[in-house]
């Protein structure tokens, strides 16, 4: 079932989104060569809990950490551990917070030290594809308009988008209906309505769109070993467009990273 949220529910989601943004900023400022992904996880969990929220991912289907840390050819769901970040890596941080029963979910890809031009371009295009999708988020448009805008933008640079991982509705559950693919046909799919809350999240590969899951049953890597990037915001469909919920309004930089 696709739900629309009441004003009270939206306030909880704004608050959850702010906590996600604060945790994302804290992690971002700690990313540098020499830090471990487990250290980043601890920072995020501390920020989330210090604001009276719980990490949405911890325990979700048995996931063992507060954040996903996905390095280089890891697309999503990397598990924080003692891996040390190196100069030239890129790392996608995906994190969620639950405040008074409502979730926020956001992901961002960061450069560790100085990265290759290929990595910089992938990150830039993936981030821009998120905003290309968001520009289609308004009442009366259809879900396929968002999906198409994301996919068409990223593919115009020769990149690919895996079909097996999608965005999603979000609210009292981290993942709600509808799934939101990153490729699609304009004019198709459900009609967007004011009050819907959606997590839009392009995942983009430099190489082919195929993925595989490692033996830990979580870590998703690109099958051809190519670099991958991931950007995500939780949004609210408003009367005439959208509002990003996973931002810190005091720091507008956090909208664009
Ligand atoms: Mg996420
Ligand atoms: Mg998500």
């Amino acid at each position: 079932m696709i739900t629309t949220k009441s004003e009270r529910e939206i306030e909880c989601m704004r608050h959850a989104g702010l906590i996600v943004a604060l945790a994302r900023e804290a992690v971002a400022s700690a990313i540098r060569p020499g830090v471990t992904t487990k250290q980043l996880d601890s920072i995020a969990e501390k920020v989330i809990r210090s604001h009276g929220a719980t990490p949405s991912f911890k325990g979700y289907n048995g996931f063992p950490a507060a954040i996903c840390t996905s390095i280089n050819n890891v697309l999503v769901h990397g598990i924080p551990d003692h891996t040390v970040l190196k100069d030239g890596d890129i790392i996608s941080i995906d994190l969620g917070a639950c405040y008074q029963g409502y979730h926020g979910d956001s992901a961002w890809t960061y450069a560790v030290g100085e990265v290759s031009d290929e990595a910089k371009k992938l990150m830039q295009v993936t981030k821009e594809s998120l905003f290309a999708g968001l520009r289609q988020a308004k009442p009366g448009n259809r879900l396929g308009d968002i999906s198409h805008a994301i996919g068409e933008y990223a593919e115009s640079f020769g990149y690919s988008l895996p079909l097996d991982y999608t965005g999603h509705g979000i609210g009292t559950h981290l993942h709600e209906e509808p799934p939101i693919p990153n490729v699609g046909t304009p004019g198709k799919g459900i009609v967007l309505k004011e009050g819907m809350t959606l997590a839009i999240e392009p995942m983009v590969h430099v190489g082919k769109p195929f993925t595989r899951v490692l033996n830990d049953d979580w870590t998703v890597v690109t099958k051809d070993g190519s670099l991958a990037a991931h950007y995500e915001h939780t949004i609210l469909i408003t009367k005439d467009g959208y509002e990003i919920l996973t931002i810190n309004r005091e720091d507008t930089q956090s909208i664009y990273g």
Side-chain angles (χ1 to χ4, degrees):
M1 191 178 66
I2 302 168
T3 60
T4 55
K5 273 71 175 182
S6 68
E7 203 39 58
R8 184 196 69 81
E9 291 179 293
I10 290 165
E11 267 315 306
C12 289
M13 292 195 66
R14 279 197 186 101
H15 204 92
L18 171 62
I19 295 166
V20 167
L22 294 173
R24 193 183 58 220
E25 287 169 8
V27 170
S29 66
I31 289 175
R32 60 177 62 88
V35 77
T36 69
T37 51
K38 212 174 174 60
Q39 286 172 311
L40 300 178
D41 181 59
S42 305
I43 291 167
E45 181 159 1
K46 210 172 281 173
V47 173
I48 290 167
R49 293 198 189 278
S50 74
H51 288 88
T54 52
S56 305
F57 296 3
K58 201 163 193 176
Y60 183 85
N61 293 335
F63 190 76
I67 66 175
C68 300
T69 49
S70 304
I71 300 171
N72 297 334
N73 63 317
V74 180
L75 174 65
V76 286
H77 305 165
I79 300 173
D81 59 12
H82 296 293
T83 303
V84 176
L85 297 186
K86 301 188 306 294
D87 189 52
D89 285 340
I90 60 171
I91 180 168
S92 300
I93 304 291
D94 193 354
L95 67 96
C98 182
Y99 178 76
Q100 293 191 358
Y102 290 85
H103 294 271
D105 186 8
S106 177
W108 219 256
T109 304
Y110 300 96
V112 182
E114 192 54 40
V115 302
S116 67
D117 289 344
E118 180 187 55
K120 280 183 197 158
K121 187 174 166 205
L122 172 70
M123 292 166 64
Q124 183 69 24
V125 169
T126 308
K127 181 163 55 176
E128 287 167 358
S129 77
L130 168 61
F131 289 94
L134 292 184
R135 281 194 288 278
Q136 298 300 319
K138 54 185 160 204
N141 269 10
R142 289 178 181 269
L143 205 60
D145 296 324
I146 296 179
S147 304
H148 173 75
I150 292 171
E152 184 186 56
Y153 186 80
E155 284 170 355
S156 74
F157 291 85
Y159 296 142
S160 68
L161 303 98
L163 297 176
D164 31 3
Y165 297 93
T166 68
H168 49 91
I170 179 168
T172 53
H173 295 87
L174 179 61
H175 295 123
E176 297 185 354
E177 294 289 311
I180 307 173
N182 290 314
V183 288
T185 310
K188 296 277 185 204
I190 58 135
V191 177
L192 303 175
K193 289 198 183 78
E194 184 179 355
M196 286 179 177
T197 44
L198 307 171
I200 311 292
E201 49 179 316
M203 290 157 256
V204 177
H205 295 186
V206 167
K208 299 236 162 28
F210 310 112
T211 60
R212 69 188 174 88
V213 180
L214 299 187
N215 286 340
D216 61 17
D217 286 336
W218 279 107
T219 309
V220 178
V221 298
T222 59
K223 216 168 196 174
D224 59 10
S226 67
L227 286 179
H230 181 200
Y231 289 78
E232 173 182 29
H233 270 312
T234 296
I235 64 159
L236 164 72
I237 302 293
T238 60
K239 197 156 131 298
D240 46 17
Y242 68 93
E243 174 187 331
I244 297 174
L245 300 179
T246 37
I247 58 163
N248 173 6
R249 266 158 235 287
E250 303 286 298
D251 174 14
T252 48
Q253 272 294 98
S254 74
I255 303 175
Y256 303 108

